[in-house]
Amino acid sequence: MQVSGRVLVCDSIDQAGIDSMKRAGLVVDYRPDIKANELVAAAKDYDVLVVRSRTKVTKEVIDSSNAKIIARVGVGLDNVDVKAAEARKIRVINAPEAASVAVAELTIGLMISLARSIPRADSESKKGNWIKKELMGTQLSGKYLGIVGVGNIGRHIGRLAKALHMNLIGYDPFPINKEFISETGMIVTDLNTLVESADFITCHVPSTPETKHMFNADRFAKMKPSAYIINTSRGEVIDENSLYEALKAGKIAGAALDVFEVEPPTNKHLVGLSNVICTPHIGAQTKEAQELASTVIAEKIIQILRGVI
Ligand code: NAD
């Protein structure tokens, strides 16, 4: 069944979803560089607004629009004023599971990079420096991985880490999937016990008032001096100034960050530390994850406009 409607795609998304929407009969305008003021002026002409993370769907955009659907090709809805959309009875949709594999694989990559100083080994080797003696690493096998937020991504990482013979500790204020616990042998505990016991801590929580700065000076003080922290969730989860102090003082061994309190990061002293590895929010940046997110969103839009869901 064909559907009618106009879709404005405001950020660059994989072509697969655009093609499916067009095949279903939708008119799709692709404007991945649209500016904030242009969006406010254009929004009234569309039934659907599609964004990734660049475009902010503010109250001003929402109030000037005639949209029935706001679609985020990704997980977090931090860039959409969901309350303003709900007040106008606009459906807000996302693709929560599309990036799980990509983020989990990046997290494992960052953990191994921290344990073996791969970025430093690479850059020094390229400069002609043979620093083998300085690069005594640590093995993952037998170590305790603390997973904070045991949702889609946290569970996927848990399974990959088990294959590396790591032991799992998990904290989540909501019940954790029982099959996952029995499959992996995860020890479920409170946050402070996890922080005190883990050799590696990885964060996979949403950005909420409760998770803002959940890793602060107190928590870093509880970590083992040999422990590492990885954040591929949201920048606000870590208090970057406290992280910097903890790393400088040797209270923890290192950190890997894919997300920052401000992006791109302005906290140059933190980013510049030799025991910090940074990536520019590339968790979901794989061909497969982007294609899946784009097609999942396109399918949801088509089904909503058909009145199926
Ligand atoms: P999810 O909803 O499946 O899992 C989140 C988990 O966090 C849930 O189990 C929830 O119960 C738990 N949680 C909520 N509040 C908590 C708290 N106060 N303390 C501990 N746990 C808490 O989400 P997901 O798909 O696994 O995504 C996790 C995070 O990864 C999100 O912040 C998401 O935005 C982020 N993410 C980042 C990238 C990237 O590019 N780096 C890509 C995709 C997702």
Side-chain angles (χ1 to χ4, degrees):
M1 188 176 92
Q2 292 292 98
V3 275
S4 62
R6 288 172 59 86
V7 180
L8 177 61
V9 178
C10 308
D11 291 328
S12 69
I13 68 165
D14 191 274
Q15 189 62 33
I18 296 175
D19 292 344
S20 340
M21 289 191 282
K22 285 184 177 168
R23 272 197 306 275
L26 295 168
V27 175
V28 182
D29 286 339
Y30 187 55
R31 296 181 65 188
D33 301 317
I34 192 165
K35 295 193 177 70
N37 59 335
E38 294 169 341
L39 177 57
V40 172
K44 64 180 184 323
D45 300 325
Y46 292 92
D47 304 291
V48 184
L49 302 178
V50 177
V51 301
R52 261 186 80 191
S53 45
R54 184 194 69 99
T55 298
K56 310 277 173 261
V57 188
T58 58
K59 187 171 185 314
E60 193 187 6
V61 172
I62 288 166
D63 288 345
S64 65
S65 91
N66 287 313
K68 302 182 186 84
I69 305 169
I70 295 168
R72 156 89 164 96
V73 182
V75 184
L77 290 168
D78 336 17
N79 57 324
V80 178
D81 189 333
V82 177
K83 274 202 183 123
E86 281 170 357
R88 300 268 323 270
K89 300 207 165 21
I90 299 172
R91 292 274 294 268
V92 179
I93 58 170
N94 60 349
E97 293 186 30
S100 300
V101 172
V103 180
E105 290 180 0
L106 177 73
T107 304
I108 297 289
L110 290 172
M111 187 160 56
I112 298 175
S113 298
L114 282 170
R116 303 302 298 271
S117 305
I118 297 174
R120 186 162 167 241
D122 173 63
S123 69
E124 291 299 324
S125 298
K126 283 177 176 151
K127 283 188 232 156
N129 300 327
W130 196 253
I131 58 162
K132 180 171 178 171
K133 284 197 178 127
E134 290 175 41
L135 296 179
M136 186 59 75
T138 178
Q139 289 179 188
L140 302 188
S141 178
K143 298 290 183 332
Y144 282 82
L145 172 63
I147 301 179
V148 181
V150 192
N152 288 319
I153 297 172
R155 288 196 302 275
H156 198 77
I157 289 166
R159 293 194 181 94
L160 296 177
K162 277 313 279 182
L164 296 166
H165 303 290
M166 298 186 83
N167 302 302
L168 305 185
I169 320 173
Y171 165 69
D172 197 309
F174 299 96
I176 300 174
N177 183 290
K178 284 202 179 73
E179 286 93 61
F180 170 79
I181 294 174
S182 59
E183 175 194 334
T184 58
M186 172 179 263
I187 302 163
V188 178
T189 181
D190 61 280
L191 184 56
N192 283 337
T193 305
L194 180 152
V195 167
E196 285 161 9
S197 335
D199 300 299
F200 293 85
I201 295 174
T202 186
C203 308
H204 304 287
V205 296
S207 176
T208 65
E210 291 77 37
T211 61
K212 187 178 164 69
H213 289 186
M214 74 192 293
F215 281 89
N216 52 23
D218 286 349
R219 292 253 149 74
F220 293 128
K222 287 187 167 68
M223 282 173 66
K224 294 181 188 176
S226 56
Y228 296 90
I229 187 161
I230 302 146
N231 188 15
T232 58
S233 63
R234 283 292 178 263
E236 300 77 25
V237 173
I238 288 183
D239 173 358
E240 289 178 358
N241 289 330
S242 300
L243 175 63
Y244 172 76
E245 296 300 337
L247 287 162
K248 277 279 285 180
K251 287 186 181 156
I252 66 171
L257 306 170
D258 185 48
V259 289
F260 302 86
E261 290 195 70
V262 177
E263 295 183 3
T266 48
N267 217 331
K268 298 282 188 250
H269 55 298
L270 172 67
V271 170
L273 289 176
S274 62
N275 51 355
V276 172
I277 297 173
C278 299
T279 49
H281 203 145
I282 56 168
Q285 198 77 347
T286 66
K287 176 80 189 115
E288 294 84 352
Q290 288 309 317
E291 190 177 318
L292 183 61
S294 170
T295 50
V296 164
I297 284 296
E299 196 50 37
K300 284 188 182 176
I301 290 169
I302 295 163
Q303 297 298 338
I304 291 171
L305 293 177
R306 278 181 184 152
V308 179
I309 55 172

